[in-house]
């Protein structure tokens, strides 16, 4: 009977997966960026900045997520853009399943560009663009383009990160019903991430949310005031 078995190609249609499945796997804007920030924390970043870029009237047009983590080499960069990667996580890593960063990025945008560099390594660029799936001449099983940086990208990365780190650029944004203005989104993220990342933030690790009107450093807030005996009152009668 074994000789009668026929193994068949069963790769998903990547265009349909990335366009119609990935963006609807349960993310909203807040949780999407939280997943991307998790990846920066896994990369041992001590400074993470989310830049909300907008038009002159405050309408959001793109995002930059910048960190000074350890950066990636080519192999890790390719895997970071793969849906359900086999990348091995170590104990303590926040990401486990290899889906968060990809789902997060394409929940928000149709184009993702990653600039990354390890210390003493070379700056490398990865691009994914949903418009490629409209081009019949493109091999849709290959959805990531790796390239050398332009001079403009080199200068931009050096300004953002210095010697090492990662910049994720999200463009061609998908329609957002909840947040279209930079200020409103910033206020929401500042409030939410003070709780979400309460135990991750310290004097040695900071998370900043920026718009054209200024930057706000997220202050850790624990609603249970754990360890603050001067605030917490215990009453057995209650």
């Amino acid at each position: 009977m074994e000789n009668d078995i026929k193994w068949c190609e069963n790769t998903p249609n990547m265009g349909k997966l990335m366009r119609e499945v990935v963006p609807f796997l349960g993310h909203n804007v807040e949780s999407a960026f939280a997943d991307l920030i998790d990846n920066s924390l896994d990369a041992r970043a001590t400074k993470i900045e989310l830049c909300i870029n907008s038009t002159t009237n405050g309408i959001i047009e793109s995002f930059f997520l910048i960190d000074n983590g350890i950066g990636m080499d080519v192999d890790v960069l390719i895997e970071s853009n793969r849906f359900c990667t086999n990348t091995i996580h170590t104990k303590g890593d926040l990401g486990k399943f290899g889906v968060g960063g990809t789902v997060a990025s394409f929940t928000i945008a149709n184009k993702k560009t990653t600039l990354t560099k390890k210390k003493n390594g070379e700056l490398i660029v990865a691009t994914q663009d949903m418009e490629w799936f409209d081009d019949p001449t493109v091999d849709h099983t290959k959805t990531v383009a790796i390239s050398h940086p332009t001079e403009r990208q080199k200068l931009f990365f050096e300004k953002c990160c210095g010697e090492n780190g990662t910049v994720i650029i999200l463009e061609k944004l998908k329609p957002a019903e909840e947040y279209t203005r930079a200020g409103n989104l910033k206020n929401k993220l500042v409030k939410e991430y003070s709780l979400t990342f309460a135990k991750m933030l310290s004097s040695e690790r900071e998370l900043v949310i920026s718009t054209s009107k200024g930057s706000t450093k997220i202050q850790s807030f624990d609603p249970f005031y754990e360890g603050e005996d001067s605030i917490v009152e215990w009453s057995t009668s209650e």
Side-chain angles (χ1 to χ4, degrees):
M1 292 295 294
E2 289 186 3
N3 292 332
D4 295 331
I5 295 174
K6 180 180 179 181
W7 295 99
C8 302
E9 174 64 38
N10 196 27
T11 301
N13 180 295
M14 292 303 297
K16 191 166 187 176
L17 175 67
M18 300 300 286
R19 283 182 183 274
E20 301 180 27
V21 178
V22 166
F24 298 99
L25 292 180
H27 269 307
N28 56 25
V29 174
E30 301 99 288
S31 63
F33 280 119
D35 260 353
L36 292 173
I37 292 167
D38 280 349
N39 290 344
S40 294
L41 292 170
D42 285 345
R44 302 197 288 277
T46 57
K47 183 172 182 179
I48 304 166
E49 181 175 6
L50 172 59
C51 300
I52 306 171
N53 308 308
S54 61
T55 60
T56 53
N57 59 357
I59 302 300
I60 300 170
E61 59 181 358
S62 66
F63 298 97
F64 302 155
L65 185 68
I66 302 163
D67 74 53
N68 66 345
I70 59 175
M72 293 177 274
D73 59 23
V74 171
D75 292 337
V76 175
L77 178 58
I78 292 171
E79 289 303 316
S80 75
N81 285 277
R82 188 192 303 277
F83 182 67
C84 293
T85 178
N86 286 326
T87 298
I88 297 173
H89 289 273
T90 59
K91 185 177 181 179
D93 281 358
L94 297 169
K96 299 297 180 187
F97 305 109
V99 299
T102 302
V103 174
S105 298
F106 291 104
T107 296
I108 297 168
N110 286 309
K111 182 179 179 182
K112 174 187 179 185
T113 305
T114 305
L115 313 177
T116 190
K117 180 179 179 294
K118 295 179 72 69
K119 192 170 184 178
N120 300 322
E122 293 185 1
L123 178 62
I124 45 179
V125 181
T127 307
Q128 289 181 295
D129 192 330
M130 293 301 99
E131 288 187 0
W132 293 343
F133 294 116
D134 297 326
D135 185 349
T137 66
V138 174
D139 181 352
H140 294 163
T141 65
K142 298 177 181 178
T143 62
V144 183
I146 303 295
S147 62
H148 294 293
T150 64
E151 288 302 316
R152 183 177 180 182
Q153 288 172 330
K154 289 179 181 178
L155 292 172
F156 177 67
F157 181 86
E158 185 175 345
K159 178 181 177 181
C160 291
C161 299
E163 292 186 1
N164 54 272
T166 298
V167 180
I168 294 175
I169 302 170
L170 299 178
E171 302 171 284
K172 300 180 182 178
L173 303 185
K174 294 182 177 177
E177 297 179 1
E178 191 171 359
Y179 303 109
T180 58
R181 301 187 70 84
N184 294 341
L185 178 57
K186 177 186 175 182
N187 292 339
K188 173 65 175 178
L189 296 182
V190 167
K191 181 178 180 180
E192 182 154 326
Y193 290 168
S194 66
L195 296 170
T196 304
F197 297 104
K199 294 186 177 180
M200 303 291 179
L201 302 176
S202 67
S203 60
E204 298 179 353
R205 178 189 284 153
E206 65 178 45
L207 171 60
V208 175
I209 311 292
S210 300
T211 67
S212 61
K213 294 187 176 180
S215 301
T216 300
K217 181 179 176 181
I218 306 297
Q219 301 296 325
S220 174
F221 174 67
D222 179 359
F224 299 105
Y225 296 100
E226 185 178 349
E228 298 186 45
D229 296 337
S230 63
I231 298 176
V232 178
E233 294 183 3
W234 298 90
S235 172
T236 55
S237 61
E238 291 178 358

